[in-house]
Amino acid sequence: GGERQWISFSIALISKRSVLLLDEPLSALDPALRVLMRTELKQMQRELNITFIHVTHSQEEALALASIAVVMNEGKVEQIDNPLTVYNKPKSAFVSEFVGGHNIIQEGKKLFSIRTDNIQLEKNNKNKINTEKMKITDIEFQGNSVKIILNNTKYKHFNVILGDSEFFTKDLKISDDVYCSWDIKKLHELQWYYYQITDPLEEIPPSIVTIVPVIYPASGEARKAHKSATSLTVAGLLAG
């Protein structure tokens, strides 16, 4: 299947199309080759100066390929930003959970997101404010980092990312009770509103547009805030 896709891709390039549709062209590749081919696709797009419509189920792939990201939920746009802003400053709980790498914190009636690598985790409470006692439910080794999955009565699924060196100095185990704390300055308040797109699409220059269909419902705090069954993310890499 992968070879057939790339043959079709080559034929399309030779025919000098103005728009190319790439339906998950990297899905059959191993992870290392997939990263290499992402770079190749971006270089091709810049050199050819045509639009690629890239369909993928990978949020990582969409963010890596795009310089403008459009996140949609049930056909309505929730956020338009560059990928760095979408990841670090999601507009809504839905966007925060969709792009991943965040926990959603509830303070009163407001919701905030915080990156999972901006949370401190200790076995003893050192009288820090903004602290939650939690139990470790799972530990995932991810190469140069370790993902700690925790919960308590308030947060059913809470993630913390630690560097591998830091993790091994803490002697953490599944079922341990620990304290999670965070700097209030690192909290990003979540909003809820829809954008109105008024600019005509023909004004967008040649780009890579990545489409990420998601067929699972939002979970956790995002589900409480906004019920949804499906979502669609569109991201574009502008020709430079």
Side-chain angles (χ1 to χ4, degrees):
E3 292 178 354
R4 200 175 298 120
Q5 279 187 330
W6 285 103
I7 291 172
S8 300
F9 178 64
S10 300
I11 293 172
L13 289 179
I14 294 171
S15 63
K16 297 181 179 181
R17 306 283 177 86
S18 58
V19 178
L20 293 181
L21 173 62
L22 305 177
D23 187 1
E24 298 194 77
L26 310 181
S27 60
L29 304 178
D30 63 71
L33 187 55
R34 192 179 303 143
V35 172
L36 178 62
M37 290 309 299
R38 286 203 311 239
T39 302
E40 292 290 333
L41 280 175
K42 289 192 286 186
Q43 290 177 346
M44 287 181 195
Q45 190 276 325
R46 285 193 291 264
E47 292 172 3
L48 296 169
N49 199 37
I50 61 178
T51 295
F52 290 178
I53 298 177
H54 182 114
V55 180
T56 176
H57 283 80
S58 168
Q59 289 94 326
E60 177 187 355
E61 196 170 293
L63 295 176
L65 283 168
S67 63
I68 292 180
V70 180
V71 182
M72 301 178 69
N73 177 21
E74 296 183 341
K76 295 183 178 180
V77 176
E78 294 205 16
Q79 185 164 359
I80 305 174
D81 270 310
N82 62 69
L84 186 63
T85 302
V86 170
Y87 185 79
N88 285 313
K89 296 181 178 180
K91 295 290 186 183
S92 68
F94 177 86
V95 176
S96 177
E97 287 206 335
F98 179 78
V99 299
H102 293 79
N103 291 302
I104 297 176
I105 306 294
Q106 186 169 1
E107 297 288 348
K109 294 183 179 180
K110 294 183 178 180
L111 290 179
F112 300 84
S113 69
I114 185 167
R115 285 175 45 159
T116 54
D117 56 350
N118 283 334
I119 296 172
Q120 292 75 50
L121 192 153
E122 303 290 346
K123 283 193 170 182
N124 299 308
N125 186 4
K126 298 179 180 179
N127 297 319
K128 292 182 178 179
I129 59 173
N130 304 312
T131 300
E132 287 280 344
K133 184 179 180 180
M134 299 192 182
K135 184 177 291 292
I136 297 177
T137 59
D138 203 0
I139 297 174
E140 296 180 358
F141 180 66
Q142 300 182 340
N144 61 359
S145 64
V146 179
K147 181 178 180 180
I148 316 295
I149 303 170
L150 314 100
N151 70 14
N152 63 10
T153 56
K154 185 176 181 180
Y155 299 103
K156 299 302 182 184
H157 193 88
F158 199 88
N159 297 324
V160 176
I161 297 293
L162 299 178
D164 59 337
S165 299
E166 182 183 4
F167 170 78
F168 289 116
T169 64
K170 292 183 179 293
D171 188 30
L172 299 171
K173 301 182 295 295
I174 294 175
S175 297
D176 280 354
D177 290 323
V178 294
Y179 294 88
C180 297
S181 61
W182 50 86
D183 183 348
I184 195 170
K185 295 178 181 178
K186 298 291 182 67
L187 294 178
H188 172 69
E189 186 174 353
L190 300 172
Q191 306 166 7
W192 180 253
Y193 58 85
Y194 291 120
Y195 282 88
Q196 295 294 325
I197 301 179
T198 56
D199 296 334
L201 293 179
E202 51 267 25
E203 292 184 8
I204 299 176
S207 60
I208 293 180
V209 177
T210 60
I211 301 177
V212 185
V214 176
I215 56 175
Y216 53 82
S219 60
E221 300 303 323
R223 179 184 291 164
K224 295 177 185 176
H226 318 295
K227 294 180 180 178
S228 61
T230 62
S231 70
L232 183 69
T233 295
V234 181
L237 174 81
L238 297 185

